[in-house]
């Protein structure tokens, strides 16, 4: 990698150059470079990524960072467009990560259909700002329509409901936000404001803040209850909303990593008995980040309804499973949630970044409504009145177009492939003596670890001390295998640390796979496992015994 300095005469920033730069590629050369790469990006995305992205030998971030030490903005233009594009393709792309590779099965960020790049380009070209009607016009009503489509996918309300609300300027079925983190935050923001709504002289928590709210309601703290597998974004929301992140209370999980319902009920009972704590929300997870587990949503909804608690479902990952007739029952009960978070950039295969939050009640978002004199006036279609972001891009155009191009059956093919391949992957692990399946996939995420037969024997000896020290050794082995495979650059699985059951002392390093790429198949999965076996036998085992 090199930092190319311009060898041509110094470029000047004058009005003539500015107008040229603003309106059209400066020269024929720039135009030719643009066309060359854009043609590849738009019509040969797959080959383009293989050819240009993530193809270099591993260079550490430390080595790369040497090239990025200059904090000065040059007074005059440094480079022409053609040179900048060349630099991006030649110097940056090879050191980026080819998340589109079918061998990249470690994260929820994966390949996207090529047409998403076309749609994103058009959205950028239109540059609509959906915060207000005056900068988006028809896009605002498209957005309301898309919100209704996904709301219907989740809540399945009768037709009359959608006729009433789809373009109603006083009601809101949900909002497009930045991602799952912002979707969860928005849902909890609404839930917090409903719990501490205005009463008597108290103007509500949004106006008067936490201290006045606690005083008005006679409480000392408030909490959110979620399984131990909850995403860390919920703790961020706890901090931002003033609840305190330690009041995002982790509830134990059962052997299948689902929330323990008895423990949840008992915690609610204890909190109610104590009398000084308000429960802002209980959160069910439809696709936990680490294990892809779906909580028992129906039962959780029942518990919340009996206790008058806001029930939020974090379906940032799992939400689009609803597109699959074959597997949507895995999310049964999601329609009972008061709010639901879904990411567009995960299993709707949209480009970064897009999140959404939906609410059962079309008026509940009034609890976070803001107005200003110059925009988002009461009763307008200005969508920014009920989102915490102000200006934002028209992601709804991308999702709407993708839904038209794919249809729910098209998305179902992707979803079914992920779930079914993950199951076959699990079977393959069970067949191999070098591995141990740690979590059986409910959706398309599974975890396992390298666990050679001699270690397996130690684990099943039943001695807790023995087991703990074996796990410690296995943790080292799996850390090494994952790192060496990543650095080799052909395949990628991620790793995480799971507690065995609910005991924080028994931590197990696991290899984690998320199957999203439709080009990933059993042949590739077997190759990935073979490579891990070889890394263990040829490198890790050798190092241990040298
Ligand atoms: C279950 C769950 N919720 C929330 C999030 C946060 O989503 P984002 O990274 O889009 O903010 C994630 C991300 O992986 C997730 O898996």
């Amino acid at each position: 990698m090199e930092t190319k300095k311009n060898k041509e005469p110094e470029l000047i920033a004058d009005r003539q150059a500015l107008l040229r730069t603003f309106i059209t590629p400066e020269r024929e050369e720039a135009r030719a470079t643009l066309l060359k790469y854009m043609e590849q990006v738009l019509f040969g995305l797959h080959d383009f990524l293989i050819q240009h992205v993530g193809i270099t030998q591993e260079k550490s971030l430390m080595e790369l960072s040497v090239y990025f030490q200059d904090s000065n903005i040059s007074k005059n233009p440094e480079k022409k467009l053609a040179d900048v594009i060349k630099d991006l393709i030649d110097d940056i792309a090879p050191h980026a990560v080819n998340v589109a590779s079918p061998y990249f099965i470690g994260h929820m960020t994966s390949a996207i259909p090529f047409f998403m790049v076309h749609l994103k380009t058009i959205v950028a070209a239109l540059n609509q700002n959906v915060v207000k009607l005056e900068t988006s016009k028809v896009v605002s009503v498209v957005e309301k329509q898309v919100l209704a489509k996904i709301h219907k996918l989740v809540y399945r309300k009768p037709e009359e409901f959608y006729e009433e609300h789809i373009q109603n300027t006083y009601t809101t079925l949900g909002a497009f936000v930045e991602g799952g983190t912002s979707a969860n935050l928005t849902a909890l923001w609404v839930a917090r404001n409903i719990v501490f709504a205005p009463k008597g002289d108290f103007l509500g928590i949004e106006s008067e803040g936490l201290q006045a709210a606690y005083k008005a309601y006679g409480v000392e703290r408030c909490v959110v209850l979620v399984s131990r597998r909850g995403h860390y974004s919920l703790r961020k929301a706890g901090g931002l909303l003033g609840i305190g992140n330690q009041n995002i209370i982790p509830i134990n999980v059962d052997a299948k990593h689902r929330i323990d319902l008895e423990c949840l009920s008992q915690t609610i009972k204890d909190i109610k008995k104590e009398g000084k704590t308000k429960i802002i929300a209980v959160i069910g997870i439809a696709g936990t980040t680490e294990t892809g587990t779906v909580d028992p949503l129906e039962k959780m909804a029942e518990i919340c309804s009996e206790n008058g608690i806001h029930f939020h479902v974090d379906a940032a990952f799992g939400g689009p499973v609803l597109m699959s007739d074959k597997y949507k029952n895995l999310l049964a009960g999601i329609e009972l949630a008061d709010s639901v978070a879904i990411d567009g950039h995960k299993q709707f295969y949209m480009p970064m970044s897009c999140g959404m939050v939906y609410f059962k009640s079309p008026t509940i978002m009034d609890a976070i409504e803001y107005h200003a004199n110059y925009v988002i006036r009461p009763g307008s279609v200005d969508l920014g009145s009920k989102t915490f972001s102000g200006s934002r891009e028209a992601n709804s155009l991308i999702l709407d177009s993708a839904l038209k191009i794919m249809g729910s059956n098209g998305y179902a093919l992707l979803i079914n492939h992920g779930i079914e391949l993950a199951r076959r992957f699990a079977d393959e692990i069970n067949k191999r003596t070098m591995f141990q399946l740690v979590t059986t996939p409910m959706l398309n995420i599974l975890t396992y670890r390298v666990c050679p037969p001699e270690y397996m024997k130690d684990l099943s000896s039943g001695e807790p001390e023995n087991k703990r020290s074996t796990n410690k050794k296995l943790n080292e082995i799996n850390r090494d295998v994952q790192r060496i495979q990543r650095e080799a650059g052909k395949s990628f699985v991620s790793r995480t640390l799971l507690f065995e059951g609910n005991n924080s002392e028994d931590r197990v390093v696991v290899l984690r796979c998320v199957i999203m790429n439709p080009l990933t198949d059993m042949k590739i999965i077997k190759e990935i496992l073979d490579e891990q076996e070889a890394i263990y036998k040829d490198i890790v085992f050798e190092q241990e015994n040298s």
Side-chain angles (χ1 to χ4, degrees):
M1 187 178 182
E2 50 176 318
T3 44
K4 295 172 201 140
K5 285 280 172 199
N6 210 319
K7 294 179 201 80
E8 290 178 32
E10 197 181 345
L11 299 170
I12 307 291
D14 60 15
R15 183 158 174 82
Q16 221 182 353
L18 175 72
L19 289 181
R20 261 203 330 265
T21 307
F22 220 91
I23 304 298
T24 184
E26 289 169 278
R27 300 172 296 165
E28 271 311 306
E29 190 196 333
R31 191 184 170 84
T33 308
L34 243 183
L35 284 177
K36 178 180 142 200
Y37 287 120
M38 285 314 284
E39 190 168 22
Q40 290 177 45
V41 167
L42 292 177
F43 302 108
L45 181 63
H46 189 71
D47 292 339
F48 173 82
L49 294 173
I50 290 173
Q51 199 186 334
H52 293 287
V53 183
I55 50 160
T56 56
Q57 288 296 314
E58 169 77 11
K59 235 185 192 165
S60 73
L61 262 191
M62 193 85 99
E63 288 171 90
L64 289 171
S65 67
V66 169
Y67 298 100
F68 302 93
Q69 300 290 338
D70 185 357
S71 56
N72 297 306
I73 299 173
S74 53
K75 285 262 183 218
N76 275 319
E78 232 179 282
K79 293 182 178 191
K80 295 194 169 177
L81 176 61
D83 297 324
V84 169
I85 291 171
K86 275 196 205 123
D87 285 359
L88 282 175
I89 307 286
D90 296 344
D91 295 344
I92 302 294
H95 298 281
V97 177
N98 185 6
V99 296
S101 160
Y103 289 82
F104 185 93
I105 56 168
H107 283 304
M108 293 167 171
T109 306
S110 180
I112 53 173
F114 79 91
F115 63 77
M116 292 292 185
V117 182
H118 296 226
L119 298 174
K120 185 96 182 169
T121 307
I122 291 168
V123 166
L126 293 176
N127 197 29
Q128 301 295 287
N129 181 355
V130 203
V131 68
K132 54 189 179 283
L133 185 67
E134 288 166 358
T135 50
S136 60
K137 202 173 169 185
V138 71
V139 181
S140 293
V141 293
V142 172
E143 182 154 318
K144 281 186 83 73
Q145 183 191 21
V146 185
L147 288 169
K149 287 182 186 181
I150 306 295
H151 189 281
K152 194 189 247 179
L153 183 73
V154 174
Y155 288 106
R156 305 194 298 269
K157 298 262 193 200
E159 211 48 55
E160 311 83 72
F161 176 89
Y162 294 102
E163 277 166 20
E164 182 185 346
H165 295 292
I166 191 164
Q167 294 300 343
N168 190 323
T169 54
Y170 288 93
T171 59
T172 322
L173 299 177
F176 274 79
V177 294
E178 190 189 19
T181 300
S182 344
N184 284 331
L185 172 62
T186 306
L188 292 178
W189 182 20
V190 169
R192 185 199 72 165
N193 288 6
I194 296 292
V195 165
F196 295 107
K199 70 166 185 177
D201 292 339
F202 174 60
L203 299 174
I205 191 167
E206 191 69 19
S207 297
E208 295 200 34
L210 219 54
Q211 207 177 1
Y214 284 7
K215 195 163 161 230
Y217 279 81
V219 298
E220 287 170 3
R221 69 166 186 158
C222 46
V223 295
V224 170
L225 309 180
V226 62
S227 103
R228 286 194 179 281
R229 300 278 169 265
H231 189 259
Y232 72 94
S233 59
L234 301 169
R235 288 192 289 119
K236 283 188 193 171
L240 277 165
L241 294 172
I243 298 165
N245 62 23
Q246 65 178 10
N247 289 317
I248 308 296
I249 309 284
I251 304 293
N252 283 347
V253 291
D254 64 16
K256 290 187 170 163
H257 298 263
R258 297 172 305 189
I259 196 166
D260 179 332
L261 289 168
E262 240 173 69
C263 188
L264 174 66
S265 295
Q266 190 57 49
T267 309
I268 294 172
K269 219 186 252 174
D270 293 346
I271 289 171
K272 287 199 152 179
K273 198 163 150 207
E274 173 242 336
K276 287 284 176 194
T277 299
K278 277 254 185 224
I279 301 173
I280 299 277
V282 165
I283 301 178
I285 311 166
T288 59
T289 315
E290 288 163 306
T291 60
T293 311
V294 181
D295 279 331
L297 304 177
E298 249 165 342
K299 298 243 169 63
M300 292 181 80
E302 207 176 291
I303 293 170
C304 289
S305 162
E306 279 164 12
N307 289 280
I309 300 170
H310 183 104
F311 179 41
H312 173 62
V313 172
D314 180 356
F317 182 69
V321 172
L322 293 168
M323 306 288 268
S324 162
D325 284 340
K326 200 166 170 190
Y327 294 112
K328 65 183 177 194
N329 63 323
L330 292 172
L331 269 52
I334 195 170
E335 71 284 0
L336 303 169
D338 294 296
S339 54
V340 174
I342 303 181
D343 258 339
H345 58 232
K346 293 190 166 81
Q347 297 210 77
F348 275 117
Y349 291 82
M350 289 173 67
M352 289 289 149
S353 71
C354 174
M356 293 165 275
V357 60
Y358 292 91
F359 293 89
K360 185 159 66 182
S361 157
T363 52
I364 198 171
M365 284 186 90
D366 294 355
I368 56 165
E369 190 168 7
Y370 275 78
H371 294 291
N373 288 333
Y374 81 110
V375 282
I376 56 176
R377 300 175 193 102
S380 72
V381 192
D382 294 351
L383 298 169
S385 65
K386 293 170 191 170
T387 54
F388 70 81
S389 30
S391 299
R392 67 191 164 81
E393 65 189 338
N395 264 327
S396 55
L397 288 183
I398 300 182
L399 181 55
D400 195 38
S401 308
L403 291 172
K404 285 174 182 156
I405 294 167
M406 300 281 286
S408 58
N409 284 346
Y411 271 110
L413 289 171
L414 291 170
I415 299 288
N416 297 354
H417 171 264
I419 292 175
E420 286 160 13
L421 192 58
R423 290 176 183 181
R424 291 176 63 202
F425 192 165
D427 292 342
E428 179 67 23
I429 289 166
N430 282 330
K431 272 191 232 155
R432 296 190 182 215
T433 53
M434 284 294 288
F435 295 98
Q436 180 192 27
L437 185 68
V438 178
T439 55
T440 307
M442 262 180 103
L443 301 180
N444 47 344
I445 300 179
L446 78 161
T447 66
Y448 63 101
R449 62 179 172 169
V450 175
C451 186
E454 58 275 23
Y455 287 88
M456 192 63 107
K457 222 161 86 195
D458 284 347
L459 285 175
S460 44
S461 76
E463 281 291 320
E465 265 317 305
N466 207 2
K467 194 173 161 192
R468 202 156 285 163
S469 74
T470 308
N471 273 334
K472 232 172 163 178
K473 281 186 229 153
L474 283 170
N475 287 353
E476 282 306 312
I477 290 172
N478 280 279
R479 265 190 209 107
D480 286 346
V481 169
Q482 192 267 349
R483 180 182 48 78
I484 294 168
Q485 189 174 42
R486 173 171 57 81
E487 286 175 3
K490 184 181 170 206
S491 323
F492 175 76
V493 309
S494 60
R495 71 173 157 78
T496 189
L497 196 61
L498 289 181
F499 300 128
E500 271 206 327
N502 298 295
N503 188 346
S504 59
E505 282 190 40
D506 290 327
R507 290 156 178 250
V508 177
V509 170
V510 293
L511 305 176
R512 167 179 169 267
C513 293
V514 185
I515 310 294
M516 287 178 66
N517 190 324
L519 298 181
T520 305
D521 58 15
M522 266 323 280
K523 182 177 158 288
I524 289 176
I525 281 167
K526 283 180 184 170
E527 278 178 49
I528 292 173
L529 289 173
D530 290 345
E531 190 187 10
Q532 288 169 348
E533 276 198 50
I535 290 170
Y536 172 69
K537 286 179 184 156
D538 302 343
I539 307 175
V540 180
F541 180 81
E542 290 300 323
Q543 274 169 2
E544 270 187 346
N545 294 285
S546 61

